[in-house]
Amino acid sequence: MPKSSGSVRALSIGALRGAIRAVAALPEAVQQLIAGKPIEIDGQRLYTEIQMALRLLNTLPESEDLSLAQAREQTEDAALLLGLNTPVGQVRNIAIPTRAGSVGARVYINDPAAPVDAAVVYFHGGGWVVGGLDSADSVCRYIAAQVNVAVISVDYRLAPEHRFPAGLEDAIDAYKWVRAQQQWGEVVVVAGDSAGGTLSAAVCAETLDVGAPDYQLLFYPATDFSRKRRSYELFGEGFFLTSSKMDWYRERYLSDPEQATDPRVSPLLAELAGHPPAHVVVAGFDVLRDEGLAYANKLEAAGTPVTRQIAAGHVHAFVNVLGVGKTGRRELGIAVDALRAGVAAIRRSRIES
């Protein structure tokens, strides 16, 4: 009996994953020979293993050259290729009610028999157009395994079928639903990567009057669609997330170009007083680097406690590359330590008060 296309695809991904991981395990000196001359821009040196990986990734079609279905399939394949299936005690799918009906979600708890310290509502990346529960599975597993929290990953609606503000409304409703639950305690964190980081920041702004999150963990968020900063000039081509790919996402997410100045789309343009403590992570070789740092600076100027993490040798989306190389896990480990400390500080302040 011939294999189904799904089986062939799975076998191909498995073989390619093995080859990629074998290359990633090579000594750095050998990796540098494969990668070529070291790349240094703006006082930063690209990690050797990332430079080597980019030589492969830059041969693949860009999202804007694919059909929507192909772009989404490519994102899921990348998650299978590059992610890490960290063991977690309990993983289960649930449905969360929203104003539009319901969205799917996935709950990760490392020890379901013990109480958790907080709930982390996680929003995946993908430019509001691609990605889902499976593409965020690796990072959600890692967080749940490393910190005593319940991670609730939200499968918000995607554009262009559901343009702004549909995905944000799902994110707000999912956060409010988690906040109302008793099973995961009183401390609720929002977290996300890329588009998910943007949604996390917007959720904070949109819930200040009804009970905002206690903490926010933002991985390389897009915070300002109204302009392109210097990091677009420096890293707009050849470093995974390109300037043209951001344009492709924006064209599908927004129904009107003027929405780019809406603070719900560009959180950097919002009034940030009263926002919860934040840990903001940016990648050094990322078009979104400068606006992520600008957002952290504005939060801090508004009185919010902020910690910053610059993964100077990395490109966008590194938290999804945990199964290959070392630098992704190392940088995520730093962010997870910040999350753990942030949750502990919140719990301690509530006990003392």
Side-chain angles (χ1 to χ4, degrees), residues 299-313:
L299 274 176
E300 189 171 64
T304 294
V306 177
T307 52
R308 300 167 184 78
Q309 178 184 343
I310 303 175

Side-chain angles (χ1 to χ4, degrees), residues 4 47 118 161 177 190 205 265 273 303:
S4 68
Y47 290 138
E161 299 93 336
W177 182 85
V190 287
V265 171

